[in-house]
């Protein structure tokens, strides 16, 4: 979602630091950008559109100050425009505010402020905050007390930062939206995500809900909304700033697809004892032994959750996957089930809400996430890290593969290991993913179907979630219609949409009943003149009925799904590249969805 960045302690470089931070947060998705620097006055510059529009507006402008904040906006209230861009100011231009999230009671507050004589210039919910601060200042409050008073008045989700004319500090607060401080010798930073300042420091402080931070030349202080001091730990980020660069690739997504072997090695390293036939997850003092598992997740992570649920079902443990947003509004009975939140960022608002709902009803919770120190990792009873490293592309790639690998580890650890074939397949998975990447003909196959009216993805068993994910990847970055189905459901309605101009991408691995039935579904679409792209390990005879084949190595069913997904990622990527799409920043989408 929106990106926040702030800086204190580099007075000659404040603007450069802010612009660098905003460039590192572009992956979150945005439609406008702006900065505010405070000195004797508060100077604001902001523009609709790409960051380069803001850069052009700043050319020739002397915008300086010892403290500053910057923002990339993803629209919620009011369309993208210069006037709706952040930062927003009060009537006198003495306060500038940036905000991620949604202020639920903004209309009530706005009506009161208008009645009191305040004038508004935007359609946003955010603009009530600088006016609330202005009112408190007029009543004699200090900047910090005025900021605190505004935070006590608003309701909803937020990460908010503010600067004041004549001030030497940035004030910030969070509630259900991520905010992190970066600590360096002589300088302090704040951001919605670590990449914004990782080039400058690897020491971070994660703010919790209901906390307010002040950063100034003396460093940082954190208090509660009531003003009570809070002791915070300083954590060290383990990944390097270079990991967030493109490394010569045309797009982050392609780089991250190619990083999957390394990400999988990081996920598996030190966790698999193949000789002993066991899995050890150091994060878990004692692996939970649930009688049932409920997964909650959104988007790509939901597809990983469906895969994870199937693993537990196959182990004889009742398991279901729920869309987190639906789980919150209609929670199923939890009983003594373990509720597992799958979220790459650890900040997904719907997933956090679902986990809080479950925990409020007495359920144990576990987070499967990529980000150490994220909200979900701090709030859940247990946590498993997928260890994929930073992912910048909006469309998830290496994190999905690592989620599937980590879910395998979790399922095997819960079942006391024992499946030596699965453990061996996991050991070989990184090298087999590399082989798929090296030998893939997905680019050539994609060329054949650029004019397709739509794309259908089908699979059974563990391949069904992969079919859903393949369709999601294609629609995310190509803007073409794509749908994924359980292969057996194709004849229960979707077959009506199949034509000679709607290719069907079928995943068939192994030679068992599921593969044979998938081949039967392929024959159905072939009879209706649809083209078939088969993703297969060659064990079935699906190739006889396919127009094109994207092969994968023969392996265990668990890992075959991971390999099939790599081919689908490459197919989506090359389709989007040949269509000239904005692959790393697809329209209307954000990397981390921190509003419900």
């Amino acid at each position: 979602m929106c990106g926040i960045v702030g800086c204190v302690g580099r007075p000659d470089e404040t603007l450069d630091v802010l612009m660098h931070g905003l460039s590192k947060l572009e992956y979150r998705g945005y439609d406008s950008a702006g900065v505010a620097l405070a000195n004797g006055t508060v100077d604001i510059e902001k523009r609709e559109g790409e960051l380069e529009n803001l850069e052009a507006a700043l050319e020739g402008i002397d915008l300086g100050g010892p403290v500053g904040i910057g923002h990339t906006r993803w629209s919620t209230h009011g369309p993208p425009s210069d006037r709706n861009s952040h930062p927003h100011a009060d009537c006198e231009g003495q306060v500038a505010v940036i905000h991620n999230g949604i202020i639920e009671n903004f209309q009530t507050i706005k009506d009161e402020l208008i009645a009191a004589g305040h004038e508004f210039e935007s359609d946003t919910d955010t603009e009530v905050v600088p006016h609330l601060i202005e009112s408190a200042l007029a009543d004699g409050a200090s900047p910090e007390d005025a900021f605190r008073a505004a935070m006590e008045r608003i309701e909803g989700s937020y990460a908010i930062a503010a600067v004041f004319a004549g001030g030497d500090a940035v004030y910030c607060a969070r509630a259900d939206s991520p905010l992190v401080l970066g600590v360096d010798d002589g300088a302090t930073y704040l951001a919605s995500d670590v990449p914004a300042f990782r080039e400058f420091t690897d020491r971070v402080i994660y703010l919790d809900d209901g906390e307010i931070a002040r950063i100034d030349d003396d460093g940082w202080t954190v208090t509660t909304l009531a003003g009570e001091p809070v002791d915070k730990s300083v954590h060290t980020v383990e990944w390097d700033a270079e990991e967030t660069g493109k490394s010569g690739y045309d797009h982050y997504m392609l780089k991250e697809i190619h990083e999957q072997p390394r990400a999988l090695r990081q996920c598996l390293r030190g966790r698999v004892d193949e000789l002993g036939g066991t899995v050890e997850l150091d994060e878990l003092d004692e692996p939970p032994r649930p009688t049932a598992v409920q997964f909650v997740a959104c988007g790509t992570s939901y597809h990983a959750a469906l895969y994870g649920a199937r693993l537990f079902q196959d182990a004889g443990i009742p398991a279901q996957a729920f869309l987190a947003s639906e789980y919150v509004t209609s929670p199923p009975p939890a009983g003594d089930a373990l509720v597992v939140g799958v979220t790459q960022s650890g900040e997904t608002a719907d997933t956090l809400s679902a986990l809080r709902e479950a925990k409020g009803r007495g359920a144990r919770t576990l987070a499967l996430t990529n980000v150490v120190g994220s909200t979900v990792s701090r709030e859940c009873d247990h946590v498993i890290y997928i260890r994929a490293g930073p992912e910048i592309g909006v469309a998830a790639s290496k994190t999905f593969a690592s989620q599937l690998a980590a879910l395998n580890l979790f399922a095997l650890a819960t079942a006391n290991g024992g499946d030596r074939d699965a453990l061996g397949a996991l050991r070989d998975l990184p090298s087999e993913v590399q082989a798929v990447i090296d030998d893939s003909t997905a680019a050539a196959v994609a060329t054949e179907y650029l004019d397709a009216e739509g794309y259908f993805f089908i699979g059974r068993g563990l391949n069904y979630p992969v079919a859903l994910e393949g369709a999601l990847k294609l629609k995310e970055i190509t803007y073409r219609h794509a749908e994924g189905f359980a292969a057996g459901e194709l004849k229960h309605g979707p077959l009506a949409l199949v034509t000679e101009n709607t290719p069907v991408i079928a995943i068939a691995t192994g030679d068992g009943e599921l593969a044979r039935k998938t081949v039967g579904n392929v024959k159905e679409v072939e009879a209706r003149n649809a083209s078939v792209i088969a993703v297969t390990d060659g064990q079935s005879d699906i190739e006889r009925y396919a127009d094109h084949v994207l092969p994968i190595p023969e392996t265990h069913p668990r890992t075959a799904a991971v390999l099939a997904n790599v081919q689908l990622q490459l197919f989506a990527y090359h389709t989007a590249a040949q269509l000239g799409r904005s692959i790393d920043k697809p329209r209307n989408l954000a990397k981390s969805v921190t509003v419900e």
Side-chain angles (χ1 to χ4, degrees):
M1 303 297 284
C2 309
I4 279 178
V5 64
C7 174
V8 176
R10 298 181 63 176
D12 297 328
E13 306 167 292
T14 304
L15 180 59
D16 291 339
V17 171
L18 296 179
M19 295 302 291
H20 170 83
L22 294 180
S23 72
K24 292 296 184 180
L25 295 176
E26 286 189 287
Y27 72 93
R28 294 174 67 87
Y30 71 105
D31 47 51
S32 59
V35 293
L37 281 79
N39 207 330
T41 61
V42 173
D43 297 319
I44 295 175
E45 197 68 41
K46 53 187 181 177
R47 288 293 185 275
E48 177 189 356
E50 299 289 320
L51 191 58
E52 62 189 27
N53 295 348
L54 177 62
E55 292 171 342
L58 288 168
E59 290 182 6
I61 296 178
D62 184 17
L63 203 65
V67 300
I69 52 178
H71 189 264
T72 51
R73 177 179 186 249
W74 191 83
S75 299
T76 55
H77 292 72
S81 65
D82 287 354
R83 72 190 192 94
N84 286 331
S85 305
H86 297 212
H88 290 290
D90 63 319
C91 294
E92 302 299 324
Q94 299 298 294
V95 181
V97 169
I98 53 179
H99 163 232
N100 295 352
I102 294 177
I103 299 173
E104 295 173 356
N105 61 336
F106 89 96
Q107 192 61 59
T108 299
I109 296 172
K110 185 174 182 178
D111 292 343
E112 293 176 4
L113 290 166
I114 290 174
H118 290 262
E119 296 182 0
F120 285 75
E121 298 183 356
S122 78
D123 306 312
T124 70
D125 54 336
T126 304
E127 197 179 356
V128 301
V129 179
H131 290 281
L132 283 172
I133 293 172
E134 179 186 19
S135 294
L137 291 172
D139 291 338
S142 67
E144 181 169 346
D145 288 341
F147 181 79
R148 193 180 304 277
M151 297 306 100
E152 291 174 343
R153 182 68 199 281
I154 61 177
E155 300 172 1
S157 62
Y158 58 79
I160 292 178
V163 293
F164 295 77
D168 60 356
V170 178
Y171 300 92
C172 59
R174 70 155 282 175
D176 296 330
S177 192
L179 206 54
V180 60
L181 305 184
V183 181
D184 196 12
D185 296 334
T188 308
Y189 310 89
L190 68 92
S192 44
D193 205 354
V194 173
F197 55 70
R198 177 61 187 87
E199 185 172 310
F200 310 124
T201 183
D202 63 355
R203 292 180 291 156
V204 303
I205 298 164
Y206 298 100
L207 297 184
D208 289 305
D209 288 346
E211 293 180 344
I212 290 178
R214 170 190 167 113
I215 63 172
D216 55 28
D217 285 336
D218 294 326
W220 55 273
T221 57
V222 177
T223 59
T224 65
L225 278 175
E228 297 295 322
V230 178
D231 290 328
K232 302 294 291 185
S233 299
V234 179
H235 302 267
T236 300
V237 176
E238 296 182 355
W239 48 269
D240 296 328
E242 290 76 13
E243 292 187 52
T244 60
K246 288 185 181 177
S247 303
Y249 288 92
D250 290 338
H251 299 94
Y252 283 111
M253 183 180 179
L254 184 60
K255 169 180 176 274
E256 288 155 2
I257 290 172
H258 280 257
E259 285 179 339
Q260 286 179 118
R262 183 175 71 175
L264 288 165
R265 289 189 185 96
Q266 291 171 172
C267 178
L268 298 170
R269 185 177 297 126
R271 291 170 157 178
V272 177
D273 179 1
E274 191 179 352
L275 186 63
T278 59
V279 170
E280 296 182 3
L281 296 169
D282 291 341
E283 301 98 314
L284 303 178
D285 294 332
E286 181 68 29
R289 307 293 180 189
T291 57
V293 181
Q294 293 178 354
F295 289 93
V296 291
C298 307
T300 288
S301 293
Y302 173 68
H303 300 155
L306 286 169
Y307 173 95
R310 182 61 182 257
L311 295 180
F312 277 87
Q313 292 163 8
D314 289 346
I317 299 173
Q320 294 173 280
F322 298 89
L323 289 165
S325 57
E326 293 297 309
Y327 188 95
V328 171
T329 57
S330 183
D336 60 354
L338 177 68
V339 181
V340 179
V342 185
T343 161
Q344 186 281 134
S345 67
E347 305 291 350
T348 308
D350 289 321
T351 304
L352 286 168
S353 294
L355 289 165
R356 289 163 181 162
E357 172 68 28
K359 199 160 189 176
R361 292 186 289 120
R364 291 178 299 156
T365 57
L366 182 145
L368 189 110
T369 186
N370 193 35
V371 182
V372 177
S374 58
T375 301
V376 75
S377 70
R378 300 196 303 273
E379 291 192 2
C380 284
D381 299 312
H382 310 280
V383 61
I384 297 173
Y385 293 109
I386 67 171
R387 306 196 306 205
E391 184 175 71
I392 304 302
V394 169
S397 54
K398 69 176 181 179
T399 54
F400 181 65
S402 295
Q403 285 174 336
L404 300 191
L407 285 165
N408 269 289
L409 296 175
F410 178 39
L412 289 166
T414 301
N416 294 313
D419 190 335
R420 294 183 183 274
D421 289 340
L423 292 175
L426 288 171
R427 174 202 61 203
D428 295 338
L429 184 57
S431 60
E432 291 183 337
V433 167
Q434 188 65 60
V436 171
I437 292 170
D438 291 343
D439 299 334
S440 178
T441 59
V445 176
T447 304
E448 296 291 323
Y449 299 101
L450 291 180
D451 296 327
E453 293 176 353
Y455 302 78
F456 297 101
F457 294 73
I458 61 173
R460 291 174 181 264
L462 291 172
N463 290 330
Y464 166 51
V466 172
L468 295 178
E469 175 62 12
L472 178 61
K473 279 296 151 288
L474 194 74
K475 69 179 75 172
E476 281 180 318
I477 62 173
T478 70
Y479 315 148
R480 292 290 181 83
H481 178 74
E483 294 294 334
F485 302 100
E489 286 298 299
L490 194 64
K491 58 184 174 295
H492 294 289
L495 200 58
L497 298 175
V498 171
T499 71
E500 61 184 9
N501 202 27
T502 54
V504 176
I505 298 91
I507 310 164
T509 57
D511 60 355
E513 182 181 9
L514 295 182
R516 290 193 295 272
K517 287 187 175 182
T518 302
V519 172
N521 300 129
V522 165
K523 292 177 183 178
E524 292 171 348
V525 301
E526 184 195 37
R528 288 153 179 85
N529 297 318
S531 296
V532 175
I533 303 168
V535 182
T536 180
D537 54 10
Q539 295 189 68
S540 69
D541 62 349
I542 193 172
E543 295 183 31
R544 294 179 55 186
Y545 310 101
D547 297 273
H548 296 89
V549 174
L550 295 173
I552 63 171
E554 182 178 336
T555 184
H556 193 282
R558 291 173 180 257
T559 49
V562 183
L563 300 178
N565 178 65
V566 176
Q567 288 284 25
L568 300 186
Q569 290 174 344
L570 289 166
F571 178 76
Y573 171 81
H574 288 295
T575 301
Q578 292 175 50
L579 290 170
R581 304 300 194 227
S582 178
I583 292 174
D584 288 330
K585 294 180 286 183
R587 68 189 183 199
N588 302 330
L589 299 181
K591 181 66 178 173
S592 177
V593 182
T594 56
V595 295
E596 294 182 83

